[in-house]
Amino acid sequence: MGKVLAILGGQWGDEGKGKIVDFLTEKADVIARSTGGNNAGHTVKVGDETFKFHLLPSGIISKGKLNVIGNGTVIDPKVLLNEIQAMESRGYPITPNELAISASAHIIQQKHIDEDIESGGKVGTTGRGIGPCYADKVRRVGIRMGEYATKDTIPSERLLPFVRETYRILNAAIDEGKNVLVEGAQGSLLDIDHGTYPYVTSSNSTAGGICTGLGIAPGRITAVHGVFKAYVTRVGGGPFVSELGSEAQLKKEPSIEEVKRDMGRDGVAQLRRRVLIKANHDDAYNAGRYLRLQGMEYGTTTGRPRRTGWFDAVAAKYAITINGFSSAILTKLDVLSGLREVKVCVGYELNGKSIASFPTNIRNLEKCTPAYRIMPGWEEDISKVKSFKDLPKNAKSYVEALHAIMQIPVSIVSFGPERSQTAVLDPRMFF
Ligand code: IMP
């Protein structure tokens, strides 16, 4: 039997899953997406090339792999077709050998997008029609890919050759000893059941979504690994205990496009230096702004600046429990470079009492305040580092502290967007 490894987000999405999936794709035969739609945005950098995907699994860049879009996803046909055509025009032909789309995946219709734009403001949805499409699925009035693809329109005719019963393909691949890599979308805290409801997406982005969204039985999943950024970001509304600065401050901030337009590329670097000086003088908002500028924390899908905060170990432990993560994959460690000190939220206080677990009631979560463990930061630029042992002492201590707090192994540490900026600490965890 082949291995099935899943890479899921441990926070509120944007953890850098795309890069990790791309990194692990070499030894995978099939790459599959089980949930979500084009609300997701995965950026992968290979050499000088940057790829941004919303629907296609990131395995599409590696030739000779089958990419599966599972039954649990929701598909905007025009967006998918554009993504396929964009890849083809860059020299990546996509045939049914490279892509299979589940006949049972639901179609996002224009009315879903209209409704989402009209009513998604409070939650801060991506406006891609995700919630209304899933709502129609549950109400049993949706249109599925199998039915859609037989219609007489350009997207449906172009997509028809890819439409298959993907559960059969996936299970046959596992039987034949092939390796399957499941690429998660969104993050655990955006899960419709386990996330910070109602500030969540409309699908199960946690481990259960792999089985329902692909038709793979639980016993066939070898391991689920959680991806965590070395800090935390969040897009849209909802509680965020370890947030640096307030949403009101963020709203006043110019977008990165405005900064580049007004100050040029050098201006961004100058701004980052100015912001860092304030951050290192205990200015929480500017510490958050530094993470934003340094980590380019602006949405792939919407371009919105992301809210930023310190690593939240209480939320991380909750995600580990819900998903049964075998290991944590830590990304964007390089972004913390320059900060005089780094903090980890190790506990919450609610109504003057410390609490041990992540509250699922959002009203309680909104009232929680963070208890921090403060650690010394590091000055060095770590983007050229080749292995874990070459990291500055304080960066290593930070990773070791997260390992001790989370109580699961840290299997990969990533310190830059390139494949080469990745240290695998425990290769036995993978294919
Ligand atoms: P929806 O998925 O468009 O309905 O949006 C619901 C919530 O999930 C909003 O707060 C979005 O910002 C958030 N969200 C959805 N997809 C992503 C993602 O890929 N990364 C981060 N946040 C996301």
Side-chain angles (χ1 to χ4, degrees):
M1 230 174 57
K3 281 188 179 176
V4 180
L5 296 184
I7 303 298
L8 302 187
Q11 298 160 327
W12 278 290
D14 309 315
E15 298 92 350
K17 298 177 289 291
K19 172 193 158 163
I20 301 300
V21 169
D22 173 61
F23 183 76
L24 296 173
T25 291
E26 197 186 340
K27 292 189 186 152
D29 302 293
V30 182
I31 297 89
R33 259 196 71 176
S34 54
T35 56
N38 59 319
N39 47 349
H42 292 165
T43 307
V44 183
K45 262 194 96 185
V46 185
D48 293 338
E49 286 201 278
T50 302
F51 299 87
K52 287 183 194 245
F53 299 115
H54 297 291
L55 273 166
L56 286 175
S58 330
I60 210 83
I61 319 169
S62 308
K63 302 210 163 140
K65 316 273 178 191
L66 177 68
N67 293 272
V68 172
I69 302 181
N71 60 278
T73 64
V74 286
I75 298 173
D76 183 328
K78 288 197 199 98
V79 172
L80 180 55
L81 193 56
N82 282 343
E83 243 171 62
I84 293 172
Q85 286 169 342
M87 281 305 284
E88 290 191 321
S89 67
R90 289 174 75 165
Y92 293 81
I94 300 181
T95 72
N97 290 332
E98 282 85 32
L99 180 66
I101 308 168
S102 170
S104 308
H106 277 250
I107 296 294
I108 297 178
Q109 303 166 49
Q110 188 56 45
K111 64 175 181 181
H112 298 142
I113 300 172
D114 295 342
E115 189 186 332
D116 197 18
I117 291 171
E118 208 179 294
S119 64
K122 179 181 155 231
V123 171
T125 67
T126 58
R128 303 296 195 257
I130 306 297
C133 181
Y134 276 115
D136 274 359
K137 170 179 174 173
V138 174
R139 289 170 58 229
R140 294 158 292 188
V141 295
I143 298 175
R144 305 207 292 178
M145 193 46 132
E147 188 191 335
Y148 171 82
T150 57
K151 292 196 169 151
D152 193 15
T153 69
I154 289 177
S156 45
E157 280 171 8
R158 291 290 318 271
L159 294 175
L160 181 62
F162 301 106
V163 178
R164 324 258 275 278
E165 285 186 333
T166 49
Y167 85 92
R168 285 206 293 163
I169 297 175
L170 285 164
N171 282 289
I174 302 167
D175 290 339
E176 286 164 24
K178 297 205 167 129
N179 288 331
V180 177
L181 186 61
V182 180
E183 171 175 358
Q186 287 80 47
S188 301
L189 303 172
L190 288 172
D191 183 281
I192 182 79
D193 284 276
H194 301 291
T196 48
Y197 190 90
Y199 298 96
V200 292
T201 191
S202 299
S203 60
N204 285 113
S205 44
T206 50
I210 303 166
C211 302
T212 53
L214 291 173
I216 297 178
R220 307 199 92 182
I221 299 172
T222 318
V224 183
H225 301 286
V227 185
F228 296 87
K229 239 182 310 216
Y231 49 96
V232 178
T233 62
R234 171 159 214 181
V235 198
F240 182 170
V241 178
S242 63
E243 182 163 18
L244 286 160
S246 65
E247 270 192 276
Q249 284 173 305
L250 185 59
K251 273 207 186 106
K252 281 196 235 141
E253 204 176 286
S255 71
I256 194 69
E257 281 71 30
E258 285 165 332
V259 174
K260 279 185 191 155
R261 195 189 53 217
D262 297 344
M263 304 172 74
R265 263 188 199 285
D266 289 350
V268 177
Q270 274 171 30
L271 176 66
R272 193 162 51 222
R273 275 195 294 276
R274 279 208 308 275
V275 166
L276 179 62
I277 292 169
K278 291 188 194 153
N280 283 341
H281 282 85
D282 290 328
D283 177 336
Y285 162 67
N286 276 295
R289 193 174 185 194
Y290 180 68
L291 297 178
R292 204 157 28 251
L293 287 165
Q294 176 93 329
M296 272 298 145
E297 295 296 353
Y298 299 86
T300 324
T301 302
T302 57
R304 290 182 286 180
R306 296 176 184 147
R307 298 159 68 192
T308 49
W310 297 119
F311 190 90
D312 184 341
V314 180
K317 284 203 245 180
Y318 172 63
I320 291 165
T321 304
I322 299 299
N323 291 289
F325 289 147
S326 297
S327 80
I329 296 172
L330 206 60
T331 61
K332 297 186 96 164
L333 186 65
D334 53 307
V335 173
L336 297 175
S337 296
L339 290 164
R340 189 171 46 86
E341 51 190 29
V342 285
K343 298 186 188 179
V344 178
C345 172
V346 289
Y348 288 174
E349 238 181 55
L350 175 63
N351 301 326
K353 288 201 192 96
S354 53
I355 53 165
S357 58
F358 187 80
T360 55
N361 177 323
I362 174 170
R363 287 199 214 305
N364 286 338
L365 187 62
E366 275 162 351
K367 284 191 255 163
C368 285
T369 52
Y372 287 120
R373 175 165 161 195
I374 302 173
M375 278 172 275
W378 56 93
E379 292 270 311
E380 299 89 331
D381 171 12
I382 58 175
S383 56
K384 304 273 178 315
V385 164
K386 288 277 171 281
S387 71
F388 185 74
K389 69 174 180 5
D390 299 333
L391 286 172
K393 183 171 133 282
N394 290 348
K396 275 193 274 194
S397 303
Y398 181 71
V399 175
E400 278 152 13
L402 292 188
H403 169 212
I405 298 165
M406 291 194 287
Q407 296 181 349
I408 57 168
V410 175
S411 56
I412 295 182
V413 178
S414 157
F415 31 82
E418 304 290 340
R419 282 180 185 167
S420 60
Q421 296 165 309
T422 319
V424 181
L425 306 189
D426 193 344
R428 292 165 309 170
M429 292 274 181
F430 304 104
F431 297 122

